[in-house]
Amino acid sequence: MASTRVAVVGATGYTGEELLRLLLHHPAIQLTYLAASAKWERPTPVSDVFPRFTGQLDLPIEPVDPARLLKASDAVFLALPHGEAMKLAPALVDAGKLVVDLSGDFRLRAPGLYPQWYHLEHAAPSWLTDARVAYGLSEWCRDAIAKARLVANPGCYATSILLAILPLFQAGLIEQDAFIVDAKSGLSGAGRKAETPLLFGEMSQNLRAYKVNQHQHMPEVLQGIEQLTGRHGRMTFVPQVIPVHRGMLSMIYLRTGSALKDVMAAYARAYPAGRAPFVRVREGSLPQLRDVVETNRCDIGIMHDGSGQLIIASALDNLTKGASGQAVQNLNLMLGVPETAGLL
């Protein structure tokens, strides 16, 4: 298998660290350049930042240098705060690089949504509908991803919700196209930063709802439903943070006039055996975090009470399938190597 030179920009965050963990043993990838924010004034051995990589990876973490980035890489993961990738990605693509962006900078197609949901003006609005850009929900957008030069990696909540809900929208099984999501995420979903609400003393033995019906993944979910099924969803969204480091569980509630066998048939069509190696669907039981943590899997459980109420649980690791693992899966599709490379 040919080796592709890969750079990780934003290597010191949680998703950057997860990318390094996954890419170290990827059979088709050679890590060649690690970069982070300007606070890294001089090259620093990655093992000084993450001792877990001692003896495995000897690259330094350097300040971002666009010229060096172009020279050292064939493909680039951008694991940066929202608003930064939109400044870097266009020039990288124009220079012939493959780019997977883990931020929200290219997820929404309408530039007018960015001030409302991300509190910033988009610096490259024409790129949101550029033919070279694909939305990176791997199981649903494979063909577009394989042709893309820039992939907008989905958000963690969006991945968890869309993988669970799209088969039902596609089959037209949801009454009034309305659903409720009660989702809980580990603290790493907020990124590697020091903020009072994320401190141990604030979150230990605690659970907190936040951004109720105002989370930036809401328009991404609704956009995904429309683009991939042609339907207009109606969503109530209550995200919550729980005192664990990683893992996400989305509980989804809706009504359907269909029997359980028709519901399960919709999932079987969407995720046929051998075609969706990272999605596992079960009937009558619900997944838990320990089923998926440190894997690239999304486990979906279905319960039907016989009266039309459907309960769906969608579990994934927010750092892996919800971020870095799906990013590697997307680069695999772009490179034409096995989708599971480096992920099983």
Side-chain angles (χ1 to χ4, degrees):
M1 196 177 290
S3 183
T4 299
R5 299 176 306 151
V6 169
V8 177
V9 181
T12 58
Y14 288 137
T15 55
E17 180 185 10
E18 186 73 353
L19 280 169
L20 300 185
R21 180 179 79 86
L22 296 170
L23 295 173
L24 264 174
H25 306 290
H26 194 294
I29 282 173
Q30 177 189 3
L31 281 167
T32 54
Y33 180 63
L34 308 180
S37 63
K39 72 179 182 179
W40 301 90
E41 297 176 354
R42 58 181 178 78
T44 303
V46 67
S47 58
D48 286 0
V49 182
F50 300 120
R52 66 186 292 181
F53 298 129
T54 300
Q56 301 182 70
L57 184 62
D58 58 4
L59 288 174
I61 295 173
E62 307 175 36
V64 181
D65 180 344
R68 173 128 164 69
L69 181 58
L70 288 173
K71 185 177 180 180
S73 66
D74 304 309
V76 180
F77 290 102
L78 297 176
L80 296 166
H82 304 309
E84 296 301 316
M86 62 180 70
K87 304 170 188 174
L88 283 173
L92 292 170
V93 174
D94 285 341
K97 308 303 178 184
L98 298 177
V99 179
V100 180
D101 173 34
L102 281 78
S103 78
D105 285 13
F106 298 94
R107 292 174 186 162
L108 305 180
R109 295 177 64 85
L113 292 174
Y114 279 86
Q116 176 184 355
W117 294 98
Y118 286 94
H119 311 295
L120 53 83
E121 295 288 340
H122 205 284
S126 66
W127 281 79
L128 298 177
T129 53
D130 192 288
R132 294 168 290 179
V133 181
Y135 184 60
L137 191 67
S138 307
E139 285 74 16
W140 287 80
C141 306
R142 283 190 182 93
D143 292 343
I145 293 165
K147 299 173 185 175
R149 308 299 295 181
L150 168 58
V151 169
N153 212 58
C156 49
Y157 283 123
T159 299
S160 174
I161 296 164
L162 285 170
L163 288 176
I165 206 77
L166 283 174
L168 302 180
F169 271 99
Q170 186 179 59
L173 300 183
I174 303 175
E175 289 186 1
Q176 300 180 350
D177 287 344
F179 60 102
I180 297 169
V181 180
D182 175 17
K184 298 173 177 64
S185 174
L187 287 162
S188 58
R192 195 182 188 202
K193 56 191 175 185
E195 290 186 355
T196 299
L198 305 176
L199 296 175
F200 177 83
E202 300 295 322
M203 278 309 305
S204 178
Q205 304 180 67
N206 193 18
L207 183 153
R208 182 179 69 251
Y210 69 105
K211 293 186 179 180
V212 175
N213 274 344
Q214 297 179 341
H215 196 281
Q216 63 269 20
H217 293 179
M218 281 191 73
E220 182 182 345
V221 170
L222 297 176
Q223 173 184 271
I225 292 170
E226 181 177 358
Q227 289 185 347
L228 296 169
T229 71
R231 295 180 176 273
H232 297 275
R234 297 168 53 224
M235 174 184 182
T236 300
F237 186 30
V238 184
Q240 298 159 71
V241 62
I242 56 176
V244 300
H245 176 56
R246 57 196 297 165
M248 171 173 289
L249 181 65
S250 295
M251 298 299 301
I252 303 170
Y253 308 94
L254 58 92
R255 293 199 63 80
T256 181
S258 300
L260 179 58
K261 65 179 179 61
D262 297 320
V263 169
M264 299 309 299
Y267 284 97
R269 288 192 298 271
Y271 307 119
R275 177 67 173 160
F278 297 116
V279 177
R280 301 185 296 193
V281 182
R282 62 182 77 168
E283 176 186 335
S285 66
L286 303 181
Q288 53 188 331
L289 294 188
R290 68 177 58 186
D291 299 338
V292 295
V293 166
E294 294 192 344
T295 79
N296 196 53
R297 295 190 181 95
C298 178
D299 280 11
I300 300 168
I302 315 293
M303 298 191 75
H304 192 308
D305 69 358
S307 69
Q309 180 70 46
L310 198 63
I311 299 172
I312 307 166
S314 179
L316 53 74
D317 187 323
N318 58 290
L319 291 180
T320 314
K321 184 57 173 170
S324 302
Q326 186 162 218
V328 173
Q329 187 178 356
N330 284 328
L331 184 59
N332 288 341
L333 291 168
M334 297 170 85
L335 293 174
V337 303
E339 188 174 340
T340 57
L343 294 171
L344 289 178

